[in-house]
Structures are given as structure tokens and as C-alpha cells.
Amino acid sequence: MNAEKLLEVSALCKYFHVSGGTLKAVDDVSFDIFRGETFGLVGESGCGKSTLGRVLMGIYGATKGKILYGGAELNPNRPGARFRYAKKAQIIFQDPYASLDPRMTVGSIIAEGMIIHGMYDARRRTERVTELLEMVGLNREHANRFPHEFSGGQRQRIGIARALAIEPEFIVCDEPISALDVSIQSQIINLLHDLQERLNLTYLFIAHDLNVVKYISSRIGVMYLGHLVELASSEELYARTLHPYSNALLSAVPIPDPRAEREKRRTILTGDVPSPIHTPPGCPFASRCPSACGRCHAEKPDLREVTPGHLVACHLT
Amino acid sequence: MSNAKNAAKAAFEPEKTLPADCDLGAEAFAHVGPDAERRDEIVRPSISYWRDAMRRLMQNKVAVACMVFLVVLVLFALIVPLVSPYTMSEQHLTHPNKPMFFRAEDGHLHVFGTDDLGRDLFMRLWLGTRTSLYIAVSVVVINLLIGVIYGALAGYFGGWIDNIMMRFIEIIIGIPYLIIVILLSMIMKSGVTSLIIAYAIVGWVGSARLTRGQVLSLRTQEFIIAAHALGSSPWRLITRHIVPNLLSVLIVNLTLAIPSAIFTEAFLSYIGMGVPLPHPSLGNLAQEGTLRFMFYPQQLLLPAVVISLTMLSFNMLGDGLRDALDPRLRT
């Protein structure tokens, strides 16, 4: 892998002020994304994956911490910076039904980004819309239809075409497949994979389906309660899982063989995720960890490199 | 394993229905793909959202009939008072309470007859329609303007601003409309203007709440976030995404608010709080008609029919607009 860092995230925090306190959606997260790779981000619902993705997109401003994109600091509050960054980074949403404006035709949805960024003249834009539609596996006669005339998978393709229209280099895929049927999921995954090779894209792939993440990602980060608890290359993470939470997460993946599935040893977690408003003082996972000791409840573990490229935040490894 | 599978298959297909030489292997199938020469045939013409909505509205026969009726009604209300040989308060005491199509000795025709003071009802009915429509439309437009701006601000800023603005609306809703009309009639000369002002003071809360709710839900929609992520300016976000999605709801609300405003005007005039006599309005005319309903029923029926048909038409047109403006209901 060429180790050119596209995105450097250091000590990133995103807090929301809600009634009853401060919700720490993303708390002190640091990692890098290299150019041309797919960085998988997994974790259960509400652990801050999507928020992290949106902060990296500049949709939400960060509460603390720094994001360096291609060596330059990203500050969405500076006028014009958000606009220039939008040209480079795009997002694909989870819900293909909510992410397309119901009152615009597919053609104008895809062309919108090009209009905003003043790309091409009107005639060339129409050609580009056709090219993009065909690139994502749709036909040019779809351009004059409205989003509700399409199925979920087709709508997701439209969402991908919209993101690709302004030729970004970095795409945040915010659970792009979790709202789709399994058969359609593989189509979309393969489409994303092909596009990555053809257009040299970098993905941040957010999901909770571990098999899919393993298939598409080169490196995987595991999030729990706003913290990044483990980070490793995908083979390494599956072969040598270090964090007890990642372990529990991976043991929940069903194996498509009933005999192996029956003999599999599952780590079943008890209890609930602590509230992100009142976070416990020690390790965020201590309350549910099967092997937590006194130190875990008192002291928050830092993310440290155990073997080269394998980072984990746990006192016990 | 394999044997069991074959046995199950055999049980499922007891006999072969295809001839023996017909081998349908994978090679018998080929991917045809779209027909490149003929694909333009299924291309739908590129039309904008508003033209598409117009086309769908025109397909709705009921809505078109209502529109035609309303246009005719407005034309009558505008033209008849101008060309009528009578004025609204001109009395013909020699022939009061005459039936429809009564021709006076001087040769003048009273199409809808006359009332108890011998005033021409045809003239008064259309002038009354004009007054009622004028009040209804201006009230609704003023309410919509205030309500949309207020509601959009509350919804856009959210948080404590929204909270305070909404509590203020709840206070206004708590004041009965009738009390405001009565209080206003004490300080202002009663008439069309004071009626409009009185209704505008309380009437905007409905559209404000509607707009606020719409803006609140639109703001968090993923397609708005997507447009934001594409780098849309706030102006573009508002004009291209929020307003078109808001406008259809508001247009429908406007069409459905007009009949209720007409009815409120009629009700106020009926109880004597509305348009002052001798100026006619649909409510005034109906009120006068009730006094003589036993003997001259047309004097009540005529304004009542106009009120009913106008309200019905606006309601049906509103329904048609709602269907036309929602591309999901496209036929």
C-alpha cells in the first residue's frame, strides 16, 4: 500500500448539547486514512459511526480536535472552505428513500452538484448525467423520471451517481447497503468496488455488517460509545482480535454452515451500552466487558500500537 | 446428499414436459440488454416539476370543472356589478319581494327578483360574492405571508427561539376570534378592512404551525443534508429544495383556507358583526333571506347555493392540487 495519508484525524470530538447534559457522540478519536484504501468503520447502533462520517464530511463542525485533508486543515466554519472541500469529499447515505429530493428528476438530482460547482456547460452536463447513469448501471432514459419510480437498489445507484458527479476523491459511505436486500447489497458493494478501481477513490465505509466490511475494507476501525477501540488491517483484525468488544462483535457474525455455527463459541454481552450523556470514568466498555478488572473501571485506556499497524485501546492486551 | 437432492427433484417434477432434443442449458440463454436503436422510444420528455404538476392537474376532470366554475364565478362577481343598471342600495318600493325573472313596469329585468326594499338581488348577490371573495382571498394571503415567515423562522432556527415563538402562538390561539372582532369594532369603524385585520390577527397561526412543522422535518431530511454536502449555498438550499417541498403543502393549504374564510365571513355577517349594511356580502344576504324564508325562499337559497358551491369548488380544487403537486401520486 502506498502510504500517502489522505485524511489525518487527531483527537476528534463531537459533542451535542441535549437536555440532560452533553452527548459525546465522538470522543477523542484519532486515525488516518490512506489514499486509495477503504477504511471500514464498524460498531453497533448509536456508537457514533455516522456522526464521525458527517464530521469528516464537514456537515457537522467538530467540537475539538483536528482534521487534516491532504495536509491542510479542514475548518468548515471558514467561508468557502466548506465549498471547496465539498468538491473533494462526498457522501452516500443509508436510506435511499430519504436521500433523494422527491420533487426533482433524477437528471437534475445528479446534475445539481455540477451546477453548484460550475462544472461544464448545460449540454456537456446532460452528457455527463448519461455517462454517470450508465457508470452506475442505469440507463439514460431514467434521467427524466422521479425518484419514487425506482427501487431501493436503483435509488442507491442514483445516490452514488450524484456523489460521483463532481468527481470527488474521497467518499463517505454511510451504511450504503443496510437498507437494501441481500441480493442488492452485493450488487452495490461490487459497484462501489469497481468504481474505486476505475476512479481511484478513497472510501470511508461505515457499516454494521462485518462480512461486508471485511470484504471491502483494507483496514477496519471498531467503534464503541464514541471511542475507537481497535484499529487493524482487515485480515489482522479477523485473525488476531485483541479488544474484547471486537471479539464479541466478530463472534456474532453468523457462519453459513450450520455445523460450524452450532460449534462456534459466542461471546454474549450482558447489559446495555452506557448512556453517551453520562459516560463512565474508566474504559467505556468496562461495564459489559467479560474480563474487566478494577483498573478498567478507574482509568481510560489509550489507543496504543500493539503490533505494527494494529492499535487497540485495552488495558488487558 | 446428492442422491437425496435428486430424489426430491424427481418427486417435484414427475415427468418431463419438454421434448428430449430441447436442451435448455445455460448457453441457450443470452443477455439481450437494452435495444440501442429503439431505446429513445421510452425516453420521457424532459419536463420540469411545475409543468408536470400542471399536466396532472389538467387530467383531473373534477379539479378542472371546479377551476372553470371559480373563474366564471369571479368573472360574474367582477362584471355584473359594473354593468348592472341598478346600484346596490337602489330601492324600488313599488315592487318589493318579487320572484325570479321579474320584469318591472319600466322594462327592467330583475333576474333573481328583489328583496323587501325592492333592491335588485342579482346585482346584490354578485356584489356580495365579490365582497366575500375579496375578504377571503386577502385574509388568506395575509395569513399565509405572516404565517410562513413566522413559521419558517421558528423552524429554521429551532431551539429556544422556536420554543418562545411557539408559546406565543399558543397564547394567540387561546383568545377567541369573536372577542377580537368585537373589541376591534369598538375602536375601528366596522367594515371590510377591520374584518380583515381582525381575522389576520389570529388567523396566521395555522399556517405558521404548518410551515414550522414542514421546515423542521425538511431540515433533517437526508436529501437536504446531501445538497448541503454537495456544497449548496443556504440560498440554493432554500429556493431549490425547501421551498418546492414546502410550496405544494402551502398551495393546498391556501385553497383549503379560502372556503373556511368565506364561511367565517358569512357567519360574522350573519350575526351582524361583519360587513355593515347596506353593503352586501354572502353572509348578509343569507341573513336577510332567513327572515323571509317562509314566503320567499329564493332570497335565502340563492346566497346559500353560491356559498356552498364556492366552498365545494375550492375544496375539490385543493384536493386536485394536492394530488397534482405530489409526484408520488403520478398517474
Side-chain angles (χ1 to χ4, degrees):
Chain A
M1 186 193 303
N2 58 337
E4 190 199 341
K5 285 178 184 173
L6 182 69
L7 199 71
E8 291 171 64
V9 180
S10 51
L12 189 71
C13 300
K14 176 64 194 175
Y15 301 158
F16 291 104
H17 296 285
V18 293
S19 56
T22 309
L23 191 150
K24 296 179 175 175
V26 175
D27 201 2
D28 195 16
V29 167
S30 305
F31 62 95
D32 300 329
I33 297 179
F34 299 105
R35 190 180 285 276
E37 79 166 341
T38 299
F39 187 90
L41 200 57
V42 295
E44 62 197 274
S45 304
C47 71
K49 312 183 292 280
S50 290
T51 306
L52 178 58
R54 288 182 183 191
V55 173
L56 294 186
M57 276 298 301
I59 296 173
Y60 299 151
T63 310
K64 268 187 278 184
K66 251 204 256 182
I67 304 168
L68 294 179
Y69 185 88
E73 185 169 352
L74 171 68
N75 180 1
N77 296 328
R78 214 169 52 222
R82 168 84 198 88
F83 180 75
R84 282 192 297 276
Y85 183 61
K87 177 81 178 61
K88 295 176 191 158
Q90 271 308 308
I91 183 165
I92 298 167
F93 290 94
Q94 171 179 10
D95 184 355
Y97 290 88
S99 60
L100 305 175
D101 190 334
R103 288 170 209 284
M104 285 172 86
T105 58
V106 169
S108 46
I109 288 172
I110 296 174
E112 189 178 20
M114 295 190 270
I115 296 170
I116 290 170
H117 289 275
M119 294 162 77
Y120 316 121
D121 55 24
R123 174 194 288 261
R124 177 79 188 100
R125 272 202 295 269
T126 322
E127 287 170 20
R128 273 287 289 162
V129 168
T130 311
E131 280 169 34
L132 285 160
L133 279 172
E134 281 165 4
M135 192 188 275
V136 297
L138 295 169
N139 298 325
R140 63 187 150 118
E141 58 264 22
H142 291 146
N144 294 332
R145 298 194 190 161
F146 286 92
H148 67 94
E149 296 173 61
F150 293 90
S151 69
Q154 286 175 314
R155 282 158 163 251
Q156 199 57 285
R157 288 169 190 268
I158 297 166
I160 294 171
R162 168 176 62 189
L164 290 176
I166 56 173
E167 293 157 19
E169 45 192 13
F170 175 56
I171 295 183
V172 174
C173 307
D174 187 359
E175 306 199 27
I177 50 154
S178 43
L180 305 174
D181 289 342
V182 179
S183 57
I184 311 295
Q185 284 186 359
S186 63
Q187 290 178 13
I188 297 293
I189 290 293
N190 289 332
L191 173 67
L192 287 171
H193 208 92
D194 291 348
L195 291 171
Q196 180 169 40
E197 278 170 13
R198 277 168 65 187
L199 305 170
N200 190 27
L201 298 168
T202 308
Y203 289 142
L204 172 71
F205 195 91
I206 301 170
H208 47 239
D209 185 332
L210 292 155
N211 284 329
V212 168
V213 173
K214 184 186 178 186
Y215 172 74
I216 197 168
S217 310
S218 37
R219 289 190 307 141
I220 296 176
V222 181
M223 272 187 91
Y224 182 80
L225 203 65
H227 295 74
L228 197 63
V229 295
E230 187 162 5
L231 198 167
S233 71
S234 69
E235 301 86 40
E236 170 84 5
L237 184 77
Y238 281 79
R240 243 165 53 83
T241 317
L242 291 179
H243 198 279
Y245 177 66
S246 320
N247 214 352
L249 208 58
L250 291 180
S251 80
V253 176
I255 304 166
D257 175 359
R259 218 164 296 162
E261 174 73 30
R262 221 171 292 131
E263 283 158 18
K264 183 178 74 173
R265 215 161 40 84
R266 270 209 63 186
T267 319
I268 293 169
L269 295 177
T270 51
D272 290 323
V273 188
S275 156
I277 300 171
H278 308 285
T279 41
C283 172
F285 188 56
S287 61
R288 298 171 77 194
C289 184
S291 46
C293 61
R295 188 178 169 210
C296 298
H297 288 284
E299 193 186 326
K300 193 176 273 187
D302 289 327
L303 195 67
R304 61 201 165 81
E305 198 156 10
V306 182
T307 53
H310 194 155
L311 286 78
V312 67
C314 183
H315 292 308
L316 304 168
T317 47
Chain B
M1 178 79 191
S2 172
N3 281 342
K5 204 172 164 186
N6 284 342
K9 205 174 168 188
F12 195 69
E13 298 170 344
E15 56 201 274
K16 233 175 169 180
T17 49
L18 289 167
D21 60 329
C22 177
D23 180 24
L24 282 180
E27 64 278 2
F29 295 91
H31 183 243
V32 180
D35 188 342
E37 285 167 20
R38 298 188 59 200
R39 66 195 309 185
D40 283 334
E41 288 174 20
I42 55 169
V43 173
R44 184 182 293 163
S46 169
I47 49 174
S48 74
Y49 167 66
W50 294 110
R51 282 191 47 201
D52 190 50
M54 198 64 193
R55 183 187 63 85
R56 265 174 288 151
L57 186 65
M58 287 305 162
Q59 282 175 352
N60 185 337
K61 292 193 183 68
V62 177
V64 172
C66 289
M67 259 196 301
V68 170
F69 173 79
L70 288 173
V71 167
V72 170
L73 188 86
V74 169
L75 285 179
F76 264 76
L78 288 178
I79 294 168
V80 168
L82 291 179
V83 300
S84 171
Y86 313 104
T87 66
M88 65 170 186
S89 52
E90 183 183 326
Q91 300 177 1
H92 305 270
L93 294 171
T94 50
H95 43 81
N97 291 328
K98 287 300 175 207
M100 288 168 80
F101 302 107
F102 171 79
R103 192 175 281 280
E105 302 86 69
D106 55 4
H108 279 136
L109 179 69
H110 297 284
V111 179
F112 287 169
T114 54
D115 67 4
D116 68 326
L117 294 173
R119 293 176 293 194
D120 180 55
L121 269 178
F122 191 67
M123 156 70 183
R124 282 180 68 77
L125 185 73
W126 292 116
L127 192 64
T129 309
R130 184 204 276 188
T131 315
S132 289
L133 281 178
Y134 169 69
I135 292 172
V137 170
S138 39
V139 154
V140 166
V141 168
I142 292 171
N143 283 348
L144 204 70
L145 278 179
I146 304 175
V148 165
I149 294 171
Y150 191 93
L153 287 175
Y156 194 81
F157 288 112
W160 63 271
I161 297 179
D162 174 45
N163 215 335
I164 291 175
M165 288 174 95
M166 285 302 116
R167 296 299 85 75
F168 181 65
I169 279 187
E170 276 153 30
I171 293 171
I172 288 187
I173 287 177
I175 307 170
Y177 169 53
L178 216 52
I179 290 181
I180 293 188
V181 178
I182 293 167
L183 289 178
L184 257 176
S185 67
M186 289 168 72
I187 51 170
M188 285 181 72
K189 205 158 70 59
S190 83
V192 174
T193 319
S194 67
L195 202 66
I196 292 174
I197 291 173
Y199 201 25
I201 287 176
V202 289
W204 57 272
V205 290
S207 49
R209 281 182 148 180
L210 183 81
T211 311
R212 171 196 172 255
Q214 285 288 316
V215 171
L216 269 183
S217 77
L218 281 174
R219 253 184 56 194
T220 50
Q221 291 271 314
E222 279 190 342
F223 68 84
I224 299 285
I225 299 175
H228 179 63
L230 279 172
S232 294
S233 59
W235 174 246
R236 186 182 174 87
L237 212 60
I238 290 168
T239 54
R240 298 301 296 268
H241 295 282
I242 294 182
V243 168
N245 278 286
L246 196 63
L247 214 55
S248 56
V249 180
L250 291 178
I251 288 174
V252 174
N253 177 252
L254 184 102
T255 5
L256 298 180
I258 287 177
S260 106
I262 291 175
F263 191 77
T264 310
E265 183 282 319
F267 164 70
L268 284 173
S269 298
Y270 188 87
I271 62 167
M273 301 297 309
V275 181
L277 291 169
H279 202 93
S281 79
L282 289 175
N284 276 345
L285 293 170
Q287 193 268 335
E288 285 172 26
T290 41
L291 301 177
R292 290 174 289 279
F293 179 61
M294 296 286 277
F295 311 104
Y296 312 107
Q298 83 276 9
Q299 291 188 18
L300 173 62
L301 290 178
L302 285 169
V305 164
V306 173
I307 294 175
S308 313
L309 284 181
T310 312
M311 287 178 63
L312 185 72
S313 300
F314 271 112
N315 276 319
M316 302 288 252
L317 179 64
D319 270 359
L321 275 172
R322 189 187 55 212
D323 293 350
L325 290 167
D326 190 345
R328 275 162 293 195
L329 298 174
R330 173 177 192 143
T331 44

